[in-house]
Amino acid sequence: MASTIKDIAKMTGLGLATISKYLNGGNVRPNNKRLIEDAVRDLRFVPNEFARSLKTRLSRTVGVVIPELGNQFITSIITTMEDILRKLDYAVIVCDCRTDPRREKEAVTFLMHKRVDGLINMPTDSTGEHLKPALDAGIPIVLVDRILKSLSGRVSAVVVDNVEAAEKATRFLLESGHEEIGLILGNEGIYTTQKRREGFLNACAEFSLKPGEEMIRFSDYTLEGGYAQMKALLSLPKPLTAVFVTNYEMTLGAMIALNEAALKVPDDISVIGFDKLDLFGAMYPHLTLVKQPQNAIGECVAKLLLGLLSNGSALPLHQIITLPTQLCEGDSVRKLKRI
């Protein structure tokens, strides 16, 4: 039979109030602390977290809803923020909604039933409807890599400057003399996709270029999607001189398609990709990449949520934190001429 707090009281001779105070994070006399810790160890006592959550109304768990668990960008962020939350005794429940709005809504409902204290979400549903029940229940929410205008002022968010990231990458290609540039984006309705398209078009406008719609391809942020859209770009009547691919998985897919087509980078086509420098650094040629500060994103998400959780009953002050990206120059862009 599992040990109880009464067994600790019997072994230590201390009152239930003192033991309960210590187990719930309160301060007790050093000698009492030692007695309780020794009893907890000897009795193999495990606190009843469910009973504690009923009393404190806190489960010390955080729910995370993401579109794809296999996405390297997402998993690296989860790893960082989980490390921070775990140090403060928060458990993390991760739900993969497979980029399906229905699954995403079900995941939020599931996490609410688990009495999570807060939610972290990289939204698939751009309307934000799936989050409104949690907001109505007073659960603080932090968005990752997305901004939902419909929930402005009600949620916090951590994003990168996607417009600037795409502008820098596209401008680098244009300054290297490229004009026939293909762009491979993610899902069309997603905030991140829209902002990266905006940055691409801004840079083109600086050089008085207006790319045809056939040069801008929407995909799904997967390897398969990047592969398919690269094949589609290669089938266009006018050959590309360069392509900008806007996430890690799609960059891998695009490189596979180029390899199958026997096209050499950068001799036949120049490439700028996204993220995961350690793997791309082992490839030849070394890719020019837009690098997102993945660790910093994870840290900001965790700290934002912890701040909201510690706010108690006070009116939450929601923030949107925008982090810069870095263009890391490799050997995958050929200079056609000097401008």
Side-chain angles (χ1 to χ4, degrees), residues 188-220:
E188 188 169 2
I190 290 178
Y191 166 86
T192 308
T193 297
Q194 295 167 354
K195 292 301 179 182
R196 290 175 187 172
R197 178 178 180 273
E198 180 182 336
F200 174 78
L201 293 176
N202 287 350
C204 287
E206 288 178 24
F207 287 73
S208 301
L209 290 176
K210 187 175 181 180
E213 287 301 317
E214 72 279 2
M215 306 285 282
I216 300 174
R217 315 296 300 192
F218 294 98
S219 183
D220 57 1

Side-chain angles (χ1 to χ4, degrees), residues 248-296:
Y248 165 69
E249 282 78 12
M250 292 192 304
T251 301
L252 283 179
M255 292 298 290
I256 292 171
L258 292 174
N259 185 60
E260 285 186 2
L263 293 174
K264 293 182 179 180
V265 177
D267 296 343
D268 299 319
I269 186 169
S270 294
V271 176
I272 294 183
F274 243 77
D275 284 337
K276 207 60 180 177
L277 285 170
D278 53 349
L279 177 57
F280 286 143
M283 296 174 63
Y284 183 82
H286 295 163
L287 292 184
T288 296
L289 296 167
V290 174
K291 182 183 178 183
Q292 299 185 88
Q294 295 172 357
N295 289 340

